[in-house]
Amino acid sequence: ADNGIGALFEDRDGQLWIGTWTGGLSRYDDRRDVGRQDVGDFHNIDQKDGLAANWINAITQDREGRLLIATNGGGVSLYDGLVIQNLTTYDGLASDRVGSLVQDRQGYIWMGTTNGVSRYDGETFTHFSREDGLAHDLVYSVLEDREGNLWFGTRGGVSRYDGEIFTTLTVEDGLTSNSVWTMLEDREGTLWFGTGMFLEDVGNGVSRYDGETFTSFTVSDGLPHGFIASIAQDREGNLWFGTHVGVSRFDGEVFTNF
């Protein structure tokens, strides 16, 4: 669909979905035959098919098996494999520019937008903003931790929501930057906050948070770039950081850059 990739997601059936920046959504159907090189087919879905917008920021899957597709300018698309349902500001979404989304253990869908956070219960939206205690209305990332707390990475720090109140952590608390682009909870329950601003192409590395204190890692510690665009943990426990100039693997002691 397009060479600019904004999101990758493997669904429960093992199919890979690729969200692009201008070409909509692509599904890769793998066809493997013994004795042959792996080949596959791409199936594209875009605005002509009913997708909310062709710029995809994030993809996940809800408990019903529908794909939740966050777009830049069109809101959110819900796709069950046959029908696409779009949710926009007309329906109550805070903004049609949605950068991240997650379904929590209670079934609510949380959407981080450029105008705060929207929670969707399947019928109606509830909006959360700075007036409610959110660190900033520009929300880059959303995460639910193993305790059921919601974390929101924003332009003004990271906010934790326990279901009742927001608690915000900033550089004054030890965060390496107030612009938190991406987040990960590792298998030990430690949180990692990758910082950066996309258009400005700047950031200040990653902060590790154990629930009490921050430990930060920057270019001076071995990262190839300060803007951390993505974080993943492999089966060996290594952390991988996607940056604007390559990927870095952290084994707990040393960064190896590729």
Side-chain angles (χ1 to χ4, degrees):
D2 177 56
N3 287 333
I5 307 302
L8 293 171
F9 179 74
E10 183 182 9
D11 67 21
R12 294 171 198 159
D13 296 324
Q15 289 187 320
L16 180 65
W17 296 85
I18 304 164
T20 73
W21 282 335
T22 62
L25 186 68
S26 291
R27 185 187 71 217
Y28 180 69
D29 294 326
D30 200 2
R31 298 288 181 266
R32 300 187 178 186
D33 296 318
V34 177
R36 294 181 53 192
Q37 186 178 15
D38 292 350
V39 295
D41 296 315
F42 286 95
H43 297 273
N44 300 323
I45 302 170
D46 58 22
Q47 283 184 280
K48 296 190 302 293
D49 305 297
L51 195 65
N54 285 337
W55 184 330
I56 310 298
N57 286 324
I59 309 167
T60 190
Q61 192 170 24
D62 68 13
R63 57 179 61 178
E64 286 80 31
R66 297 178 301 179
L67 288 185
L68 310 179
I69 305 156
T71 77
N72 198 52
V76 172
S77 290
L78 311 180
Y79 180 51
D80 65 4
L82 295 173
V83 178
I84 298 175
Q85 174 191 1
N86 294 324
L87 301 173
T88 69
T89 52
Y90 180 82
D91 304 291
L93 185 62
S95 168
D96 286 334
R97 295 175 63 189
V98 183
S100 55
L101 73 179
V102 68
Q103 185 176 39
D104 69 19
R105 60 188 62 186
Q106 299 180 65
Y108 292 116
I109 300 171
W110 295 81
M111 308 172 188
T113 81
T114 56
N115 189 35
V117 174
S118 288
R119 184 183 68 193
Y120 183 61
D121 65 6
E123 294 183 0
T124 60
F125 284 95
T126 303
H127 182 53
F128 300 89
S129 68
R130 293 183 69 172
E131 295 179 356
D132 302 294
L134 189 65
H136 198 283
D137 285 340
L138 180 51
V139 181
Y140 296 129
S141 50
V142 183
L143 177 147
E144 184 185 27
D145 68 22
R146 60 182 62 184
E147 304 296 331
N149 298 301
L150 275 297
W151 294 81
F152 304 100
T154 81
R155 187 69 174 260
V158 62
S159 290
R160 181 185 67 233
Y161 182 63
D162 63 5
E164 296 183 359
I165 62 171
F166 287 93
T167 303
T168 293
L169 302 170
T170 68
V171 292
E172 295 181 356
D173 302 291
L175 192 63
T176 188
S177 167
N178 280 340
S179 186
V180 179
W181 185 264
T182 186
M183 301 181 288
L184 172 83
E185 183 180 27
D186 67 22
R187 60 185 62 175
E188 287 78 32
T190 301
L191 293 169
W192 296 79
F193 303 116
T195 70
M197 292 182 285
F198 180 77
L199 294 178
E200 293 85 347
D201 192 26
V202 296
N204 199 32
V206 62
S207 289
R208 182 177 64 198
Y209 183 61
D210 63 8
E212 296 182 358
T213 59
F214 284 97
T215 304
S216 294
F217 305 91
T218 66
V219 172
S220 62
D221 298 297
L223 281 168
H225 195 278
F227 181 22
I228 307 300
S230 56
I231 311 174
Q233 186 174 33
D234 65 24
R235 65 186 64 183
E236 282 80 35
N238 299 302
L239 274 298
W240 292 80
F241 302 100
T243 80
H244 268 195
V245 295
V247 64
S248 186
R249 183 185 66 210
F250 182 59
D251 63 6
E253 296 182 2
V254 178
F255 287 94
T256 303
N257 299 325
F258 301 89

